[in-house]
Amino acid sequence: MSALANHAFAKMNGIGNEIVVLDLRDVKHVVTPDEARAVASRVPYDQLMVLQPPRLDGTEAFIRIYNNDGSESGACGNGMRCVVRRLFEATGQAAATFETRAGLLNCWQGPAPDLYTVDMGVPKFAWQDIPLAEEFRDTRYIELQIGPIDAPILHSPSVVNMGNPHAVFWVDDINAYDLERFGPLLENHPIFPERANITLAHIVDRDHITMRTWERGAGLTRACGSAACATAVAAARLKRANRIVQMTLPGGELTIEWRERDDHVLMTGTATFEFEGRFEPQLFASVA
Ligand SMILES: N[C@H](CCC[C@H](N)C(=O)O)C(=O)O
């Protein structure tokens, strides 16, 4: 029987990014892609955040992050705020450190009781680190376009690795494009050997950016925290925005600071608890 049978989970969201938090610190089990997809069929989510027993002193847990197609990601900013809220409410802590595939993440209570801040680490810009399939010296804009060659619909994205790969297309109107149609084409474009999260962003002014994202492995979401970080950083690199910006996503607001002193990206926003449940054993009857 699957270790997930009868196990408790929490359904949460991070400004509309649908998150399931599964605390497996009591069980030695690594969720398989099949199990992750079975969970998505029971509780639809964008990301499944699994807490595994800590591997390093001083950390609360090793976090594995699954997209609803069963693939794994190195980062999920909105999901981290959900994990953090759950931990802080259970223990009364106001700060914690977690380990993910992308490294250590420090998290703390934000400037108001309902706000949580995640230190998403240092962004990477080298083409090999995004990763891209071919060399680009300057990743502030790369040569990539869709649509007719002489009248491209979307072109010249900025690319950033925030623990996961992101491409950001700068547009005047983020709602003027059929992201559901272009998203999968760009996510799976051969230039991105590990696929990519695809964002449309509009710089309103130096302190404010609006955006929406087609997520690798999850599709259209109401919010993607790591994409908000990637977008804020990319806009600052282009000298088109300040290092502290307000981000408006379809599901809500995030504040992103690309900290001057060490280039760490701090993401602050809310996290919402919805309900708790337990997985029926038959959910995993036919999965590997
Ligand atoms: N929603 C997440 C990001 C998920 C990224 C995932 N789709 C991938 O990189 O495969 C966030 O708030 O950062």
Side-chain angles (χ1 to χ4, degrees):
M1 188 157 68
S2 165
L4 303 190
N6 296 313
H7 206 287
F9 65 87
K11 174 65 181 58
M12 303 185 73
N13 74 77
I15 61 166
N17 199 182
E18 308 293 351
I19 304 291
V20 169
V21 178
L22 179 56
D23 188 348
L24 292 188
R25 285 178 296 176
D26 57 340
V27 192
K28 250 206 162 92
H29 178 69
V30 175
V31 172
T32 64
D34 271 353
E35 286 173 331
R37 287 188 290 265
V39 171
S41 72
R42 159 76 164 80
V43 197
Y45 66 78
D46 300 320
Q47 274 81 42
L48 169 66
M49 309 292 291
V50 181
L51 283 72
Q52 315 265 206
R55 309 191 305 185
L56 297 172
D57 281 350
T59 60
E60 304 290 338
F62 177 74
I63 310 263
R64 277 182 207 278
I65 303 164
Y66 296 85
N67 292 309
N68 60 27
D69 73 350
S71 63
E72 271 191 72
S73 175
C76 177
N78 292 323
M80 280 313 300
R81 292 198 315 283
C82 294
V83 168
V84 167
R85 174 173 181 163
R86 205 117 173 106
L87 177 81
F88 287 3
E89 285 182 349
T91 65
Q93 276 167 263
T97 303
F98 295 92
E99 187 191 0
T100 67
R101 284 197 343 189
L104 293 182
L105 292 182
N106 290 315
C107 311
W108 56 91
Q109 187 72 58
D114 63 336
L115 292 177
Y116 302 88
T117 299
V118 180
D119 180 343
M120 299 281 288
V122 177
K124 295 192 201 132
F125 306 118
W127 68 273
Q128 304 94 322
D129 290 335
I130 303 299
L132 301 176
E134 57 183 272
E135 175 172 353
F136 281 93
R137 291 224 166 154
D138 185 349
T139 53
R140 286 177 299 180
Y141 291 112
I142 65 163
E143 209 174 294
L144 169 63
Q145 63 174 54
I146 52 164
I149 209 124
D150 49 351
I153 298 168
L154 290 168
H155 65 94
S156 313
S158 302
V159 291
V160 179
N161 184 296
M162 241 3 280
N164 53 354
H166 290 272
V168 182
F169 290 85
W170 307 104
V171 298
D172 287 334
D173 180 356
I174 59 170
N175 295 313
Y177 301 85
D178 188 354
L179 191 50
E180 210 150 1
R181 188 166 141 230
F182 301 131
L185 300 175
L186 291 163
E187 172 194 359
N188 294 293
H189 192 285
I191 193 78
F192 302 119
E194 294 179 14
R195 304 190 284 161
N197 297 286
I198 306 298
T199 291
L200 301 178
H202 170 62
I203 300 173
V204 179
D205 60 41
R206 296 190 65 79
D207 305 310
H208 184 205
I209 298 174
T210 60
M211 55 173 282
R212 63 194 186 103
T213 301
W214 172 271
E215 283 193 17
R216 171 179 75 166
L220 270 189
T221 58
R222 288 176 52 70
C224 178
S226 51
C229 297
T231 303
V233 162
R237 274 187 99 199
L238 291 168
K239 310 249 179 288
R240 293 180 61 196
N242 295 328
R243 290 181 71 119
I244 301 180
V245 276
Q246 196 62 23
M247 310 295 296
T248 302
L249 290 74
E253 299 285 317
L254 293 173
T255 305
I256 307 294
E257 174 178 4
W258 189 18
R259 193 163 58 188
E260 197 91 46
R261 84 174 137 87
D262 58 4
D263 280 343
H264 280 228
V265 182
L266 310 184
M267 177 203 58
T268 299
T270 56
T272 305
F273 172 79
E274 295 177 13
F275 59 88
E276 281 170 341
R278 278 183 190 279
F279 295 126
E280 299 76 9
Q282 61 270 28
L283 192 57
F284 306 103
S286 61
V287 303

